[in-house]
Amino acid sequence: MATELQEIQITEAKPLLPSQDQAKEATIAATILLDHGQEYDVETPYGSLHVTIHGSPKGGRPAILTYHDIGLNHKTCFNSLFKFEDMLEVTKNFVVCHIDAPGQQEGAASFPPGYQYPSMEQLWEMLPCVLQYFNFRSIIGVGVGAGAYILAKFARYSPDMVEGLVLLNIDPNAKGWMDWAASKITGLTSSLSDVILAHLFSQEELSNNSELIGIYRQHMTEGNILSNIELYWNSYNSRRDLEIDRAGAGTLKCPVMLVVGDQAPHEDAVVECNAKLDPTQTSFLKILMPPSSFSLSLSLSLPLSQQPGKLTEAFKYFVQGMGYMPSAGMTRLSRSRTTSLSGASVDGSRSRSRTLSQGSDAGQLASSPSQTMEVSC
């Protein structure tokens, strides 16, 4: 008997396994959804600190502790960096502790009239309470502007609690009389939000990046937080010299990476800070940008806002130099032929040595006292 053949249409079969890109995107999405962070209010002798924790302590490793600049909070200052996909490799290896300066957190209530805001000295003295509350033995500090000053001060007087520092836009000097007089005159002719924006951005950015400037102006003026920002600003302007020096008792004893954006308002101050630190312990990263690219906003929270990949890569080299994450993947800086930091020790016995690497070949290493890295956009 003849069998009648029928034509059957077969639709294109879809792969059962997702592509690597899809799997990576799913992992990132799941990580963000599962880890919104746990929020705490930690009481200290000088008031309460709002703290957000992401992840859990990893063995004997330090916590990554962040501190933001004036006019920002931990979200507006650090979200673009810590939500960056390449940074997930870091956050899987460390617990992250974000600190909001008093009254600067999202949704904070205004302080009552006459409230005495903590000084810069008192702000760093609040940090041991945070470490004790969460049972952190030590930290790797990441600070911007005023936050960088606070963390450097903490490392200066509590060296056993700080294993490393990444300091962006740090100014180690107290305000002089000329600076004080100039700020008073500016305060009479400009609004507080304009004064803060001039602290965060270069003049070129203020002129050429109106959209981004508007976003940060809105953040500062919405709700009742502007009066709280003013208190933080006044405390920062009353700071003392950081009192660090290259060879004396005032030197920072931990590895330090200084970061600044090209044309940033505090570029000279960061260069001066670099000159005061031990060159065998310090690396200097300058993010370069073409004159026509001020819309990249490199000086605000710097590469944090628009160039997180550059800083992520440098941060991986930095923690590798401390003996952590020896197998971390590197891509951007090695292709840019910039200086990289590398360490040869393992957890628990970190070496303070640094080596210079140019290019992506791990074998091209040479000793160097210079720790300067310049990264072009």
Side-chain angles (χ1 to χ4, degrees), residues 139-142 151-152 155 159 162-167 251-258 277-284 315 317-324 341 343 345 350-354 371:
I139 66 164
I140 298 173
V142 182
L151 290 178
V162 183
E163 293 195 23
L165 288 174
V166 178
L167 305 176
T251 188
L252 296 178
K253 295 179 173 58
C254 64
V256 179
M257 181 166 71
L258 300 175
L277 295 175
D278 181 352
T280 66
Q281 291 277 76
T282 308
S283 56
F284 180 56
F315 188 82
Y317 282 119
F318 182 70
V319 297
Q320 279 191 335
M322 298 170 62
Y324 299 115
L341 302 182
S345 61
R350 288 167 297 281
S351 168
R352 301 308 187 191
S353 64
R354 295 292 184 273
Q371 309 297 327

Side-chain angles (χ1 to χ4, degrees), residues 61-358:
R61 295 188 176 190
I64 295 176
L65 185 144
T66 74
Y67 214 120
H68 61 87
D69 202 358
I70 313 290
L72 306 171
N73 57 42
H74 86 268
K75 291 183 178 179
T76 53
C77 193
F78 294 106
N79 260 8
S80 58
L81 174 64
F82 283 90
K83 296 298 184 183
F84 186 65
E85 61 182 56
D86 287 356
M87 196 65 175
L88 289 178
E89 187 175 12
V90 175
T91 55
K92 286 189 299 184
N93 285 276
F94 297 90
V95 61
V96 179
C97 175
H98 294 297
I99 290 184
D100 289 307
Q104 311 303 307
Q105 71 269 24
E106 199 173 68
S110 295
F111 289 117
Y115 173 79
Q116 184 63 46
Y117 199 82
S119 66
M120 287 286 113
E121 297 290 323
Q122 292 169 334
L123 286 172
W124 79 256
E125 289 174 358
M126 298 166 83
L127 295 181
C129 295
V130 175
L131 271 68
Q132 183 178 11
Y133 185 92
F134 295 104
N135 199 28
F136 296 152
R137 291 189 299 177
S138 61
I139 66 164
I140 298 173
V142 182
V144 180
Y149 176 93
I150 292 167
L151 290 178
K153 200 79 169 179
F154 179 46
R156 168 79 169 77
Y157 292 100
S158 301
D160 293 340
M161 296 183 181
V162 183
E163 293 195 23
L165 288 174
V166 178
L167 305 176
L168 302 94
N169 276 357
I170 186 172
D171 187 343
N173 302 315
K175 269 186 172 294
W177 284 106
M178 293 298 291
D179 294 327
W180 180 86
S183 65
K184 287 294 182 183
I185 295 173
T186 302
L188 294 174
T189 58
S190 303
S191 67
L192 176 63
S193 57
D194 286 333
V195 173
I196 302 297
L197 288 169
H199 164 75
L200 296 173
F201 292 93
S202 68
Q203 287 301 313
E204 290 84 353
E205 290 173 315
L206 291 172
S207 301
N208 295 287
N209 207 339
S210 58
E211 183 177 353
L212 185 64
I213 300 299
I215 292 173
Y216 281 90
R217 186 188 301 277
Q218 180 180 353
H219 161 73
M220 287 189 287
T221 55
E222 64 185 7
N224 300 314
I225 200 172
L226 191 58
S227 60
N228 292 358
I229 292 174
E230 183 175 15
L231 294 175
Y232 189 22
W233 174 244
N234 291 340
S235 179
Y236 179 62
N237 283 335
S238 301
R239 69 190 181 277
R240 302 175 183 175
D241 282 339
L242 197 53
E243 297 179 337
I244 53 176
D245 59 83
R246 174 166 289 189
T251 188
L252 296 178
K253 295 179 173 58
C254 64
V256 179
M257 181 166 71
L258 300 175
V259 186
V260 68
D262 189 33
Q263 305 297 326
H266 309 288
E267 183 179 356
D268 291 342
V270 178
V271 171
E272 181 179 346
C273 185
N274 185 53
K276 294 180 177 181
L277 295 175
D278 181 352
T280 66
Q281 291 277 76
T282 308
S283 56
F284 180 56
L285 173 64
K286 179 188 284 188
I287 307 293
L288 305 179
M289 65 178 181
S292 61
S293 299
F294 290 111
S295 60
L296 291 175
S297 180
L298 290 179
S299 65
L300 167 66
S301 300
L302 323 137
L304 291 179
S305 60
Q306 297 294 333
Q307 292 291 316
K310 307 290 193 226
L311 186 56
T312 297
E313 195 84 355
F315 188 82
K316 288 181 182 180
Y317 282 119
F318 182 70
V319 297
Q320 279 191 335
M322 298 170 62
Y324 299 115
M325 297 179 59
S327 60
M330 304 296 176
T331 53
R332 292 173 177 81
L333 291 189
S334 58
R335 287 202 301 263
S336 302
R337 294 183 63 81
T338 57
T339 303
S340 64
L341 302 182
S342 175
S345 61
V346 295
D347 296 8
S349 59
R350 288 167 297 281
S351 168
R352 301 308 187 191
S353 64
R354 295 292 184 273
T355 56
L356 175 68
S357 171
Q358 291 189 325

